[in-house]
Amino acid sequence: MGGALAGGLWSALGELPVAGWVAAIGATIALGSLAALLRRFAQWGEAAARGGAAAALLDIEDGPRLLIGADGGARYANSQARTLWGAHPPLAHLRERLHGDMMAADALGRLEEAARIGLREEVDLPLRDPEGYSGEPEWVRVMVAPGREPGSRLWSCRDVTARRAIDEVLLREREELADFLYFLPVGLYSADTDGRLRYANQVFAQWLGRDTDAMVGLDIDAVMEGPAPEPDGAWEGRLRFLPVDEPPFDAEVRQSTFDDAGQLRTRSVVVRLPAGEAAPAAGEGGWLRRRPWLFDGAPVGIALTDPEGAITDCNASFLAMVGLEAADVFDRPLADLAARNDREDLRALVDKVVGGGTAQADIRLVRGEREVAVGVFLSPMTSLSGRPGDPPDGAVAHLIDTTEQKNLEQQFAQAQKMQAMGQLAGGVAHDFNNLLTAMIGFSDLLLQRHGIGDPSFADIMQIKQNANRAANLVRQLLAFSRRQPLRPRLLNVTDALSELSHLLRRLLGERVVLKLAHGREPGHIRVDPGQFDQVIINLAVNARDAMPGGGQLTISTRREAVETEMNQGTEAVPPGDYVVIDVVDTGTGITRENLGRLFEPFFTTKSEGTAGAGTGLGLSTVYGIVRQTEGFIFVESTLGEGATFTIYLPRHEPPVEVAGAGAGGAEGGVGPGDGTQGGSGEPESEARDLTGKETILLVEDEDAVRVFGSRALRNKGYTVLEARSGEGALDLLEDGAEIDLLITDMVMPGMDGATLAGRVREERPDLKIILISGYSEDVIRGDIVNQPDTHFLPKPFSLKALAEKVREVLA
């Protein structure tokens, strides 16, 4: 996967016109660093695809990894460990977020004791949601093991929340099936090849006057008159059983065999006959049909077929699966009820079973307009009156609805892909934002010397605008992976779309007609306004590209109350009140094979080199934002007839004081290619004085960012001291340097920005500090960020944004 991701990023960034950058900027450090980073990233992808980049795999795929030395100091920490735990043992973090009862505390205690005495231990722990959005815990699997160095400890952690959810569903199903078999009003038992009982249900034990536990290990000859059937195949017939202190009774028995972890076992169904009941006459039919309480009352679908595969009987559970009446399925081939792609396979399985074998498969049945995933188990059907060697009368099909299980598996697979991409996005965002800060900043410096009439002005603006496009690309990576922090607020969806319509019409052009159709009072939603705009803009741009000859884009809103859980593909919309947004185009449509991949990262149907060729991040960004906002998005399309994207977002009732207020939907919104990240490129006409005479210490390990920042601040009149590391900054201060403001990067080799700020604060508690980082403030938030006189400036930033922040803090 690493190779594909690397290729996708290289292709996406390759759209930026970089050929004229060197001549225009003269900042070869920044451009050379970008090219080197991209080469390293592509090499990482190729090596990871071959399995040869162990360090990259540790950083990207293995979750947080932290090596603590014998002295308690961090020897190695990957980027995820630094984000989650810093450079300290994770026990304090786990204690603070632990969610649960004494069992969780005991598990944490075992982990702590293992770390103390140097043993390997791995436990699952429930942790509180740090964002506080959900009361449900997050489950993590934490492992501590001794390192190679004596006294060292290796800590690792991975998220197992989705896996536990699937395991709980499967465990619940197994427990329900076990309870069903235990209390089934028919006898069940299993024996090994030595004739010892291994299982007996409650009814069979009661018939024999024995306890179920006491029967395990008992010789089957002790409860049966005459020899038991040989455990070497299928058998059916009549047997006499010997209860304790009661007369013997006759029963019909149907026996089959199965492999239990390499040991052959029998499984037998026992139907007790009333005293004096004779064996069934030839042609009367099997015992299953003569026991409706066992047939119709079964919680799984059962269908009986003739040798040609036509249904001769079925129970109520089967009819519920296919959504039909009995008259609509009798004499109809079982294979005809399967989805089109599964019919031939099911027909072949029935033929195999009628020939004397058994079979099982996962198929999909058609139920109305939907398809239901089922596991089907097929076995031959013979009557008790039949003679050994006679061909089967047909087939018995047992069908179990596995739709929920399949949906969970697909959601888990999608969650794993998104998590891996999120880890990758967080890893590269910092480095890219450093480079983009230098590009934008040096462009601003050049624009101070080359005005609108200068021949170089247009070239410099191209560089800056494309650097801003790259910054938007990094934000999209963070958005679709759900790592972009949200600042949601109540938004009137009608007002938000109306304000956005002016921008949409400019983006769509003259050949595409935009139509807004609002339902009656669709209501408010709780979203981040900027990311809501990004969702609508991405869908609109995709629709425009699907209508090269022109057409109509209709965006409609309505309110919908979902009464019962609504299943759409692998998604299940829970009951509730929703605002529904439909985005409908009249374009070329989407092929069936592409519909299932639309929201995958880097998947695009736009050919390279064509107008509007995309990065494959637009719809994955939309998916990430919608799901992060607790919403759902679905797509329907017919080739040649356009596409419809439907978004469900939870509806909120606003407080009385804002019920009539406008939404301001465009607040915080960034349209594609707006190129406004810290200046329009025109000479600055500042509303206030951004100059100063104070002394500033700038600490930044990235040379291009440090050079730009120091030049920009010196141009404003400040005295600037520079340091490439936290240790270098402390050396300057120990030499007697007096400063009014500390600006430090958060992520640096050796001493990071948070540690440096803490050390400086010990001597200068009133010193003002600005932390800068390519990560978001939410990701790097810690004790130092929350202290007074500490401010945050995210990368990439422009000259104007830097000057304004410095003046604001010093003022």
Side-chain angles (χ1 to χ4, degrees):
M1 185 178 75
L5 297 179
L9 278 178
W10 183 271
S11 175
L13 290 172
E15 296 177 23
L16 309 183
V18 300
W21 286 7
V22 176
I25 295 185
T28 56
I29 296 176
L31 189 58
S33 299
L34 175 61
L37 176 65
L38 290 174
R39 284 195 298 272
R40 290 197 303 270
F41 181 61
Q43 291 165 359
W44 174 90
E46 295 169 359
R50 296 192 303 269
L57 290 175
L58 288 177
D59 272 341
I60 299 302
E61 301 202 24
D62 281 354
R65 299 291 296 269
L66 175 64
L67 181 64
I68 300 294
D71 58 355
R75 292 287 185 271
Y76 167 78
N78 65 4
S79 59
Q80 299 164 66
R82 291 193 297 270
T83 299
L84 183 63
W85 295 326
H88 307 289
L91 282 170
H93 171 266
L94 295 172
R95 287 195 205 97
E96 180 182 350
R97 289 185 56 196
L98 191 66
H99 178 289
D101 51 17
M102 290 298 297
M103 293 182 64
D106 289 344
L108 182 60
R110 294 198 307 272
L111 196 68
E112 186 172 6
E113 181 64 15
R116 185 182 67 82
I117 63 179
L119 295 178
R120 185 186 185 279
E121 183 64 73
E122 185 174 21
V123 299
D124 288 354
L125 296 175
L127 304 181
R128 287 192 303 274
D129 180 3
E131 304 294 340
Y133 293 141
S134 169
E136 296 298 323
E138 296 177 352
W139 284 88
V140 295
R141 181 161 295 167
V142 185
M143 187 198 74
V144 63
R148 293 186 177 181
E149 177 186 337
S152 64
R153 303 290 183 266
L154 176 65
W155 291 84
S156 66
C157 172
R158 59 190 175 95
D159 192 324
V160 295
T161 305
R163 172 52 61 189
R164 286 186 66 93
I166 292 177
D167 290 344
E168 288 176 4
V169 171
L170 297 178
L171 178 61
R172 185 166 64 251
E173 290 180 352
R174 286 195 294 268
E175 290 175 345
E176 291 173 354
L177 182 59
D179 289 343
F180 167 75
L181 295 176
Y182 187 76
F183 294 107
L184 195 70
V186 68
L188 299 174
Y189 72 85
S190 176
D192 59 23
T193 53
D194 295 327
R196 291 187 299 271
L197 288 169
R198 293 302 179 189
Y199 171 80
N201 74 339
Q202 185 184 56
V203 169
F204 186 60
Q206 287 177 349
W207 287 346
L208 297 175
R210 298 174 182 271
D211 181 78
T212 54
D213 294 334
M215 291 185 67
V216 176
L218 187 67
D219 196 317
I220 195 171
D221 289 336
V223 299
M224 187 181 299
E225 184 179 280
E230 292 295 330
D232 57 357
W235 182 91
E236 57 181 284
R238 178 176 290 202
L239 295 174
R240 173 163 290 191
F241 292 94
L242 305 173
V244 177
D245 300 329
E246 289 187 15
F249 66 87
D250 292 331
E252 295 172 357
V253 178
R254 187 181 183 95
Q255 174 179 293
S256 61
T257 59
F258 70 101
D259 185 274
D260 181 18
Q263 300 294 322
L264 191 65
R265 299 278 189 267
T266 68
R267 50 188 171 199
S268 301
V269 181
V270 183
V271 180
R272 184 170 180 170
L273 298 175
E277 180 174 325
E284 186 179 342
W287 57 271
L288 182 62
R289 298 191 197 183
R290 296 186 289 108
R291 296 294 184 268
W293 44 267
L294 176 62
F295 184 63
D296 284 328
V300 298
I302 303 176
L304 311 180
T305 77
D306 61 18
E308 285 72 38
I311 297 173
T312 59
D313 203 354
C314 63
N315 68 349
S317 295
F318 177 80
L319 293 174
M321 278 186 185
V322 296
L324 298 172
E325 300 293 332
D328 298 324
V329 299
F330 284 170
D331 298 326
R332 185 175 176 182
L334 176 63
D336 285 0
L337 300 178
R340 184 179 301 276
N341 294 337
D342 293 333
R343 289 176 186 172
E344 287 302 322
D345 292 340
L346 183 55
R347 189 172 290 113
L349 291 177
V350 173
D351 292 340
K352 175 184 175 182
V353 168
V354 172
T358 60
Q360 67 181 66
D362 292 326
I363 64 170
R364 301 189 78 86
L365 294 178
V366 176
R367 181 167 65 195
E369 299 296 326
R370 296 178 50 207
E371 294 182 354
V372 182
V374 298
V376 58
F377 303 85
L378 294 158
S379 57
M381 179 179 65
T382 58
S383 65
L384 288 175
S385 58
R387 293 171 301 186
D390 285 352
D393 295 342
V396 180
H398 293 78
L399 302 101
I400 300 175
D401 191 333
T402 59
T403 304
E404 181 179 2
Q405 176 183 338
K406 295 296 182 184
N407 289 346
L408 281 172
E409 289 174 354
Q410 292 185 29
Q411 291 174 19
F412 178 64
Q414 178 71 6
Q416 282 186 315
K417 285 192 290 187
M418 300 299 283
Q419 182 184 25
M421 285 302 304
Q423 292 169 346
L424 173 64
V428 302
H430 176 264
D431 290 333
F432 274 123
N433 283 333
N434 269 336
L435 301 171
L436 295 171
T437 300
M439 294 176 192
I440 294 170
F442 282 117
S443 297
D444 285 338
L445 291 174
L446 286 170
L447 288 171
Q448 290 180 338
R449 301 196 302 269
H450 301 273
I452 295 179
D454 192 290
S456 300
F457 176 80
D459 295 337
I460 299 171
M461 282 302 301
Q462 280 291 324
I463 295 167
K464 181 173 180 178
Q465 289 170 359
N466 283 284
N468 284 325
R469 284 182 61 198
N472 284 331
L473 179 61
V474 174
R475 282 195 292 273
Q476 287 187 23
L477 281 169
L478 295 174
F480 83 75
S481 63
R482 306 189 205 180
R483 294 170 64 92
Q484 183 77 5
L486 293 180
R487 293 175 175 81
R489 64 180 180 86
L490 285 181
L491 201 67
N492 184 302
V493 68
T494 303
D495 294 344
L497 289 173
S498 297
E499 293 184 13
L500 191 60
S501 63
H502 304 292
L503 174 60
L504 291 178
R505 287 189 170 89
R506 291 198 300 271
L507 290 172
L508 295 174
E510 297 179 355
R511 291 190 293 180
V512 177
V513 177
L514 174 64
K515 179 181 178 182
L516 296 181
H518 298 298
R520 183 178 179 183
E521 297 181 358
H524 287 69
I525 53 179
R526 185 171 181 81
V527 296
D528 181 292
Q531 294 205 340
F532 175 77
D533 288 355
Q534 190 174 1
V535 167
I536 302 301
I537 288 171
N538 275 331
L539 293 178
V541 169
N542 271 6
R544 178 200 65 191
D545 294 341
M547 297 182 287
Q552 177 172 297
L553 175 65
T554 303
I555 302 178
S556 60
T557 61
R558 67 182 190 277
R559 177 181 179 181
E560 181 174 328
V562 177
E563 302 293 343
T564 59
E565 185 174 84
M566 182 176 66
N567 293 309
Q568 294 276 356
T570 62
E571 301 282 4
V573 181
D577 203 6
Y578 291 90
V579 174
V580 182
I581 305 171
D582 293 309
V583 182
V584 185
D585 66 65
T586 59
T588 55
I590 306 165
T591 62
R592 183 179 181 85
E593 55 269 23
N594 287 337
L595 276 176
R597 300 189 60 196
L598 281 184
F599 300 119
E600 290 185 6
F602 299 116
F603 175 76
T604 178
T605 59
K606 302 173 185 177
S607 303
E608 291 187 15
T610 60
T615 63
L617 292 177
L619 289 179
S620 53
T621 298
V622 169
Y623 178 86
I625 293 173
V626 171
R627 294 299 288 123
Q628 194 175 12
T629 317
E630 300 181 353
F632 302 86
I633 181 168
F634 310 111
V635 57
E636 295 179 355
S637 179
T638 301
L639 199 61
E641 299 181 10
T644 300
F645 288 82
T646 303
I647 302 172
Y648 282 77
L649 295 173
R651 187 177 186 273
H652 293 265
E653 290 293 340
V656 176
E657 61 269 21
V658 300
E667 179 181 323
V670 179
D674 66 355
T676 55
Q677 188 156 352
S680 63
E682 300 176 2
E684 291 186 11
S685 55
E686 299 167 346
R688 56 195 177 92
D689 185 13
L690 299 180
T691 61
K693 299 184 180 300
E694 292 88 348
T695 300
I696 300 172
L697 173 57
L698 176 60
V699 188
E700 170 63 68
D701 63 303
E702 189 71 28
D703 292 339
V705 177
R706 190 180 67 258
V707 170
F708 150 66
S710 60
R711 282 182 56 186
L713 293 174
R714 288 189 181 106
N715 288 347
K716 296 295 181 183
Y718 297 102
T719 299
V720 181
L721 305 178
E722 300 179 39
R724 299 184 62 181
S725 64
E727 293 83 357
L730 288 180
D731 291 341
L732 284 174
L733 294 175
E734 289 173 359
D735 290 341
E738 292 293 333
I739 61 172
D740 302 294
L741 172 66
L742 171 65
I743 303 177
T744 178
D745 188 23
M746 283 294 292
V747 180
M748 297 183 294
M751 183 183 298
D752 59 24
T755 304
L756 171 63
R759 294 278 296 275
V760 173
R761 275 281 167 79
E762 294 176 1
E763 301 295 330
R764 294 277 306 275
D766 58 341
L767 180 66
K768 295 179 173 60
I769 298 174
I770 297 177
L771 304 174
I772 57 177
S773 176
Y775 297 115
S776 68
E777 182 178 2
D778 298 59
V779 173
I780 58 93
R781 179 170 293 280
D783 292 339
I784 189 65
V785 179
N786 297 321
Q787 291 184 5
D789 290 329
T790 301
H791 305 266
F792 181 77
L793 180 62
K795 297 176 182 177
F797 49 79
S798 65
L799 186 154
K800 184 178 180 182
L802 175 63
E804 286 180 341
K805 191 69 174 180
V806 168
R807 193 65 262 158
E808 171 193 337
V809 171
L810 288 175

